[in-house]
């Protein structure tokens, strides 16, 4: 009887701890929420890097993917997310979070094959709790890219910026492949949703990083940060964690096209267009308020 009692106690403890872990994990996964920026919290470091690590076997090679960030002080919550694209398609993601933290570091080895252009972009995010229940945030983006050439006509090699005629030729080829793939998918989405392109500024998702410092169209620096922060919040919930259909089904984002960001020239809203791996179209709208 004693043995049975202890078994029940242990099982209850395991169930409770599993529930607590799941609940805490769920809270963390929903934690990227834009709050007004706290200028007193800055990033001493925010970087994303891709490095060629060499040959894995006759058909595959390895890329090392690193995402690190460091704030100037410890804050309530730190979270970094990163997305990796190959020739315009999402191939992998990274995510890490910590309570009461200052530094985050992630590392992953990626296996690839064939010649490809890899591009990655990360959001480094922090949630700050102040006195009087005020909540603020801090954010910064980083990105990197890498060309890997795996052809039967040449030795395996990689580069970031072309330094030889051969590398320049390969860059042109791979850029054209990516451009054609994305333009075809994006044009399909624009036609499907009957969008008037003349009313929007087009921004490929990977290029968001430049708005760490540049203003978005004619917006102020503060409003740019608000718009970008809200954009990442929406992408995290509706893309990074899975593409949600109208029926409530969640589709894995891996294999989908790089999102196209359409910013309305009248500053009223943003449209995000994505095509899932199975061809299913997705459109998300983010309104912009210029009154606050």
């Amino acid at each position: 009887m004693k043995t049975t009692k202890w078994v029940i106690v242990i099982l209850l403890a395991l169930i409770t701890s599993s529930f607590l872990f799941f609940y805490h994990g769920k809270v963390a996964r929903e934690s990227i929420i834009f709050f007004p920026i706290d200028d007193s919290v800055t990033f001493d470091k925010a970087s994303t890097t891709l490095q060629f690590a060499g040959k894995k076997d006759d058909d595959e090679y390895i890329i090392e993917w690193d995402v690190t960030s460091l704030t100037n002080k410890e804050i309530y919550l730190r979270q970094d997310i990163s997305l990796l694209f190959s020739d315009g398609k999402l191939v992998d993601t990274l995510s890490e979070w910590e309570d009461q933290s200052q530094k985050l570091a992630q590392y992953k080895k990626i296996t690839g094959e064939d010649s490809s252009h890899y591009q990655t972009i990360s959001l480094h995010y922090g949630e700050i709790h102040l006195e009087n229940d005020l909540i603020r945030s801090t954010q910064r983006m980083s990105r990197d890219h890498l060309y890997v050439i795996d052809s039967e006509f040449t030795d395996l090699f990689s580069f970031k910026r072309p330094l030889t005629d051969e590398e320049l030729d390969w860059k042109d080829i791979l850029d054209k492949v990516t451009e054609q793939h994305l333009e075809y998918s994006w044009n399909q989405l624009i036609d499907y949703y009957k969008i008037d392109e003349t009313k929007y500024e087009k921004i490929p998702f990977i290029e968001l990083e430049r708005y760490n410092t540049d203003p978005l169209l004619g917006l102020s620096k503060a409003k740019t940060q608000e718009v970008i922060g809200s954009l990442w919040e929406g992408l995290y919930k509706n893309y990074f964690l899975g593409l949600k259909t109208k029926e409530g089904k969640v589709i894995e984002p891996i294999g989908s096209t790089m999102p196209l960001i359409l910013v309305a020239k009248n500053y009223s809203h943003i449209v995000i267009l994505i095509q899932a791996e199975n061809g299913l179209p997705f459109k998300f709208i983010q309104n912009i308020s210029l009154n606050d």
Side-chain angles (χ1 to χ4, degrees):
M1 195 71 180
K2 275 188 176 182
T3 302
T4 303
K5 181 180 178 181
W6 278 111
V7 168
I8 293 172
V9 170
I10 291 170
L11 286 173
L12 286 172
L14 288 171
I15 292 169
T16 303
S17 64
S18 297
F19 172 77
L20 290 173
F21 177 79
F22 172 76
Y23 180 75
H24 193 197
K26 184 178 181 182
V27 170
R29 286 171 65 83
E30 297 287 326
S31 64
I32 292 183
I33 302 173
F34 178 79
F35 297 99
I37 296 293
D38 184 341
D39 291 328
S40 72
V41 179
T42 58
F43 282 93
D44 291 337
K45 180 179 182 181
S47 70
T48 302
T49 60
L50 294 174
Q51 295 292 334
F52 181 67
K55 200 172 184 179
K56 181 180 179 182
D57 53 39
D58 290 340
D59 299 318
E60 296 178 316
Y61 51 83
I62 297 173
I63 294 173
E64 294 178 350
W65 182 17
D66 287 274
V67 180
T68 60
S69 62
L70 174 68
T71 51
N72 62 337
K73 63 178 77 172
E74 183 181 288
I75 56 178
Y76 178 79
L77 176 70
R78 283 293 335 282
Q79 184 159 359
D80 284 358
I81 64 172
S82 189
L83 301 96
L84 178 65
F85 299 88
S86 173
D87 302 327
K89 287 189 175 183
L90 184 67
V91 293
D92 211 337
T93 61
L94 279 176
S95 179
E96 181 71 21
W97 65 272
E98 282 187 11
D99 293 325
Q100 301 300 329
S101 181
Q102 187 174 359
K103 181 180 180 180
L104 288 178
Q106 300 178 74
Y107 167 83
K108 193 171 188 178
K109 288 186 176 182
I110 304 297
T111 300
E113 59 181 33
D114 300 326
S115 300
S116 295
H117 182 203
Y118 293 91
Q119 296 170 286
T120 177
I121 184 169
S122 304
L123 174 71
H124 311 279
Y125 168 85
E127 184 177 308
I128 304 143
H129 287 211
L130 305 172
E131 295 178 357
N132 302 321
D133 296 324
L134 289 176
I135 302 177
R136 295 290 183 262
S137 62
T138 185
Q139 63 189 25
R140 189 163 184 83
M141 295 173 285
S142 64
R143 67 168 171 166
D144 197 15
H145 77 115
L146 183 70
Y147 294 91
V148 179
I149 310 306
D150 184 9
S151 168
E152 61 185 48
F153 304 109
T154 184
D155 292 334
L156 181 66
F157 68 98
S158 69
F159 62 91
K160 292 182 186 288
R161 293 180 180 84
L163 299 176
T164 66
D165 289 341
E166 182 184 18
E167 290 177 351
L168 185 59
D169 289 342
W170 275 109
K171 177 185 182 302
D172 290 343
I173 291 170
L174 292 177
D175 285 353
K176 194 66 176 177
V177 168
T178 301
E179 180 184 343
Q180 288 178 342
H181 162 69
L182 288 177
E183 281 192 358
Y184 177 76
S185 297
W186 290 342
N187 286 336
Q188 277 191 320
L189 292 166
I190 288 169
D191 290 343
Y192 179 83
Y193 289 111
K194 297 179 172 58
I195 295 171
D196 183 353
E197 297 180 65
T198 64
K199 295 181 179 180
Y200 295 90
E201 184 78 21
K202 293 181 183 178
I203 304 174
F205 176 55
I206 196 72
E207 294 182 13
L208 281 182
E209 185 263 350
R210 75 171 186 258
Y211 299 107
N212 279 328
T213 53
D214 292 355
L216 182 63
L217 297 186
L219 299 177
S220 67
K221 180 180 178 182
K223 179 55 72 171
T224 294
Q225 291 305 304
E226 177 186 328
V227 170
I228 293 298
S230 298
L231 179 59
W232 271 100
E233 178 183 341
L235 284 167
Y236 179 67
K237 292 177 180 178
N238 298 299
Y239 180 53
F240 190 92
L241 296 180
L243 292 160
K244 300 175 180 63
T245 67
K246 293 178 181 178
E247 297 75 29
K249 182 180 178 182
V250 178
I251 297 176
E252 176 70 30
I254 300 302
S256 62
T257 57
M258 181 184 294
L260 176 64
I261 314 299
L262 299 175
V263 184
K265 292 179 180 179
N266 64 2
Y267 309 114
S268 61
H269 66 284
I270 289 176
V271 177
I272 302 100
L273 299 177
I274 301 166
Q275 189 173 55
E277 185 178 28
N278 62 3
L280 199 64
F282 287 86
K283 179 179 74 170
F284 306 105
I285 297 176
Q286 174 187 325
N287 292 321
I288 300 175
S289 173
L290 297 177
N291 299 322
D292 44 74

